[in-house]
Amino acid sequence: MKIVSTKANLQILYQDNHLIIINKRVGDIVQGDKTGDKPLSDVVKEYIKDKYNKPGEVFLGVVHRLDRPTTGIVVFARTSKALTRMNELFSNRETQKTYWCIVKNKPIKSEDKLVHYLKRNEKNNSSKAHLKEVPDSKLASLDYNIIKELNNYFALEINLHTGRHHQIRAQLSAIGSPIKGDLKYGFDRSNPDGGIHLHARKLFFIHPVSKESLTITAPTPDEPIWNAV
């Protein structure tokens, strides 16, 4: 069963005057799109408006996105200054992002660096990983290692070096290890909640205003396979 975030059940990982960081659920969409479903950004605005009795419009900047079927850390900025600085941190790769995922097919190596050229297909909203550069492709690289062997599945930890469209999903699919539930990238069946087993687990960055080092960790969804990890 899919549970979406509301202002009453929002999973807040961190908040101060400048930032609010949320643990996104499977059903949440970060920003509004053609579905017309209420985005997480609006839910967070409602929460801030209620909690702090703010009159008028609440400012909230979307710093980055997560694919709708994934879970984990999403950062929002509560001031324009924080939004500008966080955007710079992300675009200059001054953040460290760690993901966890579940795959059925064990990668040949227990740890490896994957380097591909990703070409995005706007029509079907997917990316294809190529071993050699092709026209309009972008370099994509990540490190992975197997952190746990489960019954029938393997849990991987992934550190991203680039931030490409559907990068982890496309690169793991290219080595024959699509993520559990990810029909778009070759897994054989969907998950009951329509999500995929990809979770933005950890984020390290320097706070844009206070300059303190922050490491945010998001608990995995409460379900059997994640609980086994």
Side-chain angles (χ1 to χ4, degrees), residues 168-187:
I168 298 171
R169 299 167 66 181
Q171 286 196 272
L172 289 180
S173 177
I175 63 163
S177 298
I179 293 166
K180 183 178 182 300
D182 200 355
L183 294 178
K184 182 172 274 193
Y185 287 95
F187 200 80

Side-chain angles (χ1 to χ4, degrees), residues 147-203:
I147 51 172
K148 191 146 190 192
E149 296 198 12
L150 308 162
N151 295 335
N152 301 321
Y153 296 104
F154 298 87
L156 310 184
E157 182 168 275
I158 287 153
N159 288 298
L160 280 179
H161 306 305
T162 53
R164 306 299 183 203
H165 175 256
H166 289 185
Q167 178 179 338
I168 298 171
R169 299 167 66 181
Q171 286 196 272
L172 289 180
S173 177
I175 63 163
S177 298
I179 293 166
K180 183 178 182 300
D182 200 355
L183 294 178
K184 182 172 274 193
Y185 287 95
F187 200 80
D188 57 2
R189 64 181 187 277
S190 59
N191 289 336
D193 62 5
I196 64 174
H197 277 73
L198 176 61
H199 180 71
R201 171 68 174 169
K202 201 180 280 185
L203 178 68

Side-chain angles (χ1 to χ4, degrees), residues 16-29:
D16 62 16
N17 293 333
H18 306 283
L19 302 173
I20 183 164
I21 303 177
I22 306 297
N23 191 4
K24 178 181 118 49
R25 293 178 167 92
V26 160
D28 298 338
I29 184 164

Side-chain angles (χ1 to χ4, degrees), residues 50-159:
D50 272 20
K51 182 172 171 68
Y52 300 103
N53 293 319
K54 281 193 174 281
E57 188 68 21
V58 170
F59 177 88
L60 192 77
V62 178
V63 174
H64 65 119
R65 294 173 193 80
L66 272 188
D67 300 339
R68 187 165 192 172
T70 64
T71 55
I73 296 168
V74 181
V75 181
F76 296 100
R78 292 186 56 195
T79 61
S80 54
K81 178 164 80 169
L83 178 62
T84 304
R85 291 183 182 175
M86 286 304 296
N87 282 339
E88 285 170 3
L89 287 180
F90 273 83
S91 63
N92 296 337
R93 309 237 186 297
E94 291 172 43
T95 59
Q96 288 171 359
K97 290 184 254 187
T98 303
Y99 288 78
W100 281 4
C101 69
I102 307 288
V103 300
K104 190 169 191 175
N105 302 332
K106 185 179 184 179
I108 294 169
K109 297 179 180 175
S110 60
E111 57 182 81
D112 201 6
K113 179 178 184 176
L114 301 183
V115 179
H116 291 94
Y117 291 88
L118 258 55
K119 181 163 181 170
R120 185 169 180 175
N121 181 335
E122 300 278 355
K123 277 192 186 143
N124 65 6
N125 187 35
S126 68
S127 288
K128 184 164 175 57
H130 300 266
L131 289 173
K132 297 203 170 118
E133 195 169 0
V134 298
D136 303 320
S137 63
K138 290 179 176 171
L139 182 69
S141 79
L142 60 79
D143 291 325
Y144 76 80
N145 66 295
I146 297 173
I147 51 172
K148 191 146 190 192
E149 296 198 12
L150 308 162
N151 295 335
N152 301 321
Y153 296 104
F154 298 87
L156 310 184
E157 182 168 275
I158 287 153
N159 288 298

